[in-house]
Amino acid sequence: MKKLLLLSGHADDVVQYSTKYWSAASNLNEKQFVLDEKIRTNRDVNSLAHAAIQFGLYSLQREHSATIQWRVKVVKSGYLLPTFVILIALFTSLVGKLPVKIALAAVAASFGFITVMLWLSMPVEREAGKYAAELIEEHRLFARIREEEAVVRAIHATVWTSLIPGVLRKLIVGSPAIKSPDS
């Protein structure tokens, strides 16, 4: 990550690690590139892909701050809205004020709405991933071409997994927290 910051013209920016990290772009800051604390020990390709997308979002935020913040809000809503609707539907169904079919329809509608919003904001994350992948390919940051190709493919795949709302994403894909090897 430090090499990517240097290559992108952000050499003065600081890489920091945070224990409070729950979304792919929640810790965007002007002069601090914030990653999850767990990245110091994790060394898998998917974690590096998440970190590369985080780097892309961090790099693009200076030029497109409002768009990046919109994506951040949509990703956070992917965690909050369906969870809130599930809780309300569960409690109202248990009390008997709402039929179970209507509660299930409300939960499905909340997942559908968030998925559409994630789809509409996905080009932001796709552009961030593309930017990071191009830097990795252009400057040959890995010793082996196999490793570089694996990371680039993982970056492109990770962007598509961002269409899954946060609640389901944790169950299907695993934790969205960024984990990457030491940089």
Side-chain angles (χ1 to χ4, degrees):
M1 289 300 112
K2 290 178 184 176
K3 287 180 184 177
L4 283 175
L5 284 171
L6 180 67
L7 292 171
S8 67
H10 303 291
D12 297 336
D13 296 358
V14 178
V15 178
Q16 290 192 342
Y17 302 95
S18 172
T19 55
K20 296 178 182 178
Y21 199 88
W22 64 281
S23 116
S26 67
N27 283 326
L28 292 175
N29 195 336
E30 272 301 312
K31 290 284 185 184
Q32 297 174 344
F33 181 46
V34 182
L35 293 173
D36 187 15
E37 182 66 37
K38 296 175 186 174
I39 69 166
R40 294 180 194 235
T41 58
N42 201 334
R43 298 189 179 275
D44 67 340
V45 172
N46 293 327
S47 299
L48 186 55
H50 282 289
I53 290 172
Q54 175 73 15
F55 163 77
L57 289 169
Y58 174 76
S59 297
L60 294 176
Q61 90 171 12
R62 293 184 182 177
E63 297 170 8
H64 308 288
S65 180
T67 307
I68 299 294
Q69 292 306 319
W70 173 59
R71 174 64 181 177
V72 170
K73 289 177 185 175
V74 170
V75 169
K76 286 182 181 180
S77 297
Y79 285 90
L80 300 175
L81 181 68
T83 305
F84 180 71
V85 172
I86 288 170
L87 289 174
I88 297 298
L90 180 67
F91 289 137
T92 56
S93 294
L94 289 176
V95 172
K97 299 289 183 183
L98 188 68
V100 175
K101 288 182 182 180
I102 293 176
L104 290 175
V107 170
S110 71
F111 278 116
F113 173 73
I114 285 300
T115 302
V116 169
M117 293 304 294
L118 287 167
W119 179 268
L120 291 174
S121 67
M122 188 182 76
V124 174
E125 196 160 326
R126 197 170 61 217
E127 188 64 31
K130 182 180 169 187
Y131 176 71
E134 286 174 356
L135 270 178
I136 290 170
E137 290 176 333
E138 182 180 327
H139 295 288
R140 302 287 181 212
L141 295 180
F142 294 94
R144 296 184 183 99
I145 194 76
R146 282 190 319 256
E147 293 172 349
E148 178 182 302
E149 289 173 350
V151 169
V152 169
R153 281 194 311 267
I155 289 170
H156 295 302
T158 300
V159 169
W160 285 99
T161 62
S162 71
L163 285 176
I164 304 170
V167 175
L168 291 177
R169 186 176 183 185
K170 252 186 141 44
L171 296 172
I172 296 171
V173 179
S175 177
I178 293 175
K179 306 167 205 146
S180 73
D182 291 333
S183 300

